[in-house]
Amino acid sequence: MDLYTNLEQAVLDPSLAIITDGISTQKELNKVYLRYRVLSKKKQRFSDYYSTEFLGHTVPEMYVLMKDKLKADNYTFDENQLPNEKYMLSEPDLYYKQEEFNSGDTNICFILGHSGSGKSMMARTLEGEDIDHIELDDLLLTKDHFTMEELKDYSDMFYSFFSGEGAKYYIGIEERDSIPKEEYEDQVFIDFVRFAMDHARQHKDKKYIIDGIWIYLYFDDPSLFEDFAVFIKGTSFLKSKIRTVKREMQRDKETLQDRKQMFGRAVRNYLLDEDKINKYRLFFGDRPETVLKAETNEAVKKDEAVVSELNRINRLFVNEDADGINEILKRAKADPELSNWNKMRIFNECKSALYELKKE
């Protein structure tokens, strides 16, 4: 495969799938991301390589960033709507039944937190080789994102839900307008979370991570989750939003108004949701199975270092440098500071890349 020297060349390659900041609709965004998801691992590596080289983020990261940007486009920022001190101060991260999840005593973990708070980083503290990580946002208009065959690869839990008791929720935008909100958008999250609890109990050989704001929006009683692992990111609203805006500013030069729209829309959501999040923190906060940990700059740096290594694997793969990939593998094995989760991530990526190179 030829190496491209600019983004325009890479985007024109039909064998790749790259999300650019020129995408203007959610439908177009979903279409590109779905194409990426069904690519071979090799083509995903090439797509991520070019996306990181020219845009500073992998394709999945660009999907999240562009989804947030498109959601913010129609919001009118209220200059008088400013957060008070309550929204600026971070709480410690809360880990309820982390040891039980890592040992397998419970095999499902629910993660709560704001966009940009670091939920993905929190998920990486969990140990296990076969973890199904589900974002609740993907429950809406699933038919526009995945065929039923593609759902099998995305998540066995999702496939079981939409091919069984959740079949009526497998719809796209065309069907959406004919269904009352309370029968779809409200109910699908409630039904799926309850289904997920039962599904996890019946499939003890696998672990599941489920994250999304919909947990505390639709379940007022935190005690429903006390038999499972529950993690709550304590990162403040303000800090979470600054992280998101920084990523956007590094990627391109959006106008100030665009960034205000993103920030203001999140403020409105936060003001409505904060009491519900706090209810969960109070319920789980003083339990013996709960550990509170303050997020440190060191933890953030370590995660960024791991992400850098993963991106470097793609770069070495594209340049067919097996020796370089083996060096990363050796370095990871010898690093006593790496968590089991991060070692597993690096090991799996290195071995996968080396296997693909041998097939060439």
Side-chain angles (χ1 to χ4, degrees), residues 101 109 111 123 126 131-134 207-211 341:
F101 185 89
C109 178
I111 299 182
L126 298 170
I131 296 182
D132 194 349
H133 186 175
I134 294 169
K207 293 183 177 181
Y208 300 91
I209 299 173
I210 297 178
D211 75 61
W341 172 272

Side-chain angles (χ1 to χ4, degrees), residues 7 10 26 45 49 55 90 93 101 118 126 136 155 190 205 212 231 233 244 261 264 278 303 311 316 323 338:
L7 178 62
Q26 184 69 43
R45 288 190 187 282
Y49 165 74
L55 297 168
S90 294
D93 293 340
F101 185 89
L126 298 170
L136 290 176
S155 162
I190 296 172
D205 57 325
F231 289 5
K233 278 299 297 179
T244 303
Q261 287 173 348
N278 195 47
D303 187 70
N311 288 336
L316 293 168
D323 290 339
L338 273 181

Side-chain angles (χ1 to χ4, degrees), residues 318-333:
V318 168
N319 289 283
E320 300 182 355
D321 186 352
D323 290 339
I325 296 174
N326 275 313
E327 281 301 313
I328 291 178
L329 187 59
K330 291 177 184 176
R331 202 160 50 239
K333 287 180 179 179

Side-chain angles (χ1 to χ4, degrees), residues 55-57 243 245-253:
L55 297 168
H57 300 281
R243 285 180 180 174
V245 171
K246 277 186 175 179
R247 289 198 296 259
E248 286 292 298
M249 291 175 70
Q250 291 169 356
R251 183 172 60 83
D252 56 27
K253 299 294 183 181

Side-chain angles (χ1 to χ4, degrees), residues 43-61:
K43 296 301 183 182
Q44 284 185 354
R45 288 190 187 282
F46 272 88
S47 298
D48 282 333
Y49 165 74
Y50 287 117
S51 184
T52 302
E53 286 292 301
F54 299 123
L55 297 168
H57 300 281
T58 64
V59 176
E61 289 169 346

Side-chain angles (χ1 to χ4, degrees), residues 72-136:
D73 283 346
N74 295 321
Y75 179 76
T76 301
F77 183 72
D78 182 355
E79 294 286 354
N80 297 316
Q81 191 179 44
L82 297 175
N84 61 31
E85 184 180 88
K86 175 182 178 183
Y87 310 131
M88 300 180 194
L89 301 178
S90 294
E91 300 275 358
D93 293 340
L94 185 153
Y95 297 81
Y96 172 70
K97 289 194 174 184
Q98 180 182 18
E99 291 186 7
E100 287 86 343
F101 185 89
N102 285 339
S103 67
D105 288 343
T106 182
N107 65 326
I108 186 169
C109 178
F110 295 92
I111 299 182
L112 292 64
H114 299 294
S115 175
S117 64
K119 293 192 296 295
S120 295
M121 182 164 55
M122 179 177 263
R124 291 168 195 149
T125 65
L126 298 170
E127 298 175 3
E129 294 185 358
D130 194 7
I131 296 182
D132 194 349
H133 186 175
I134 294 169
E135 295 183 10
L136 290 176

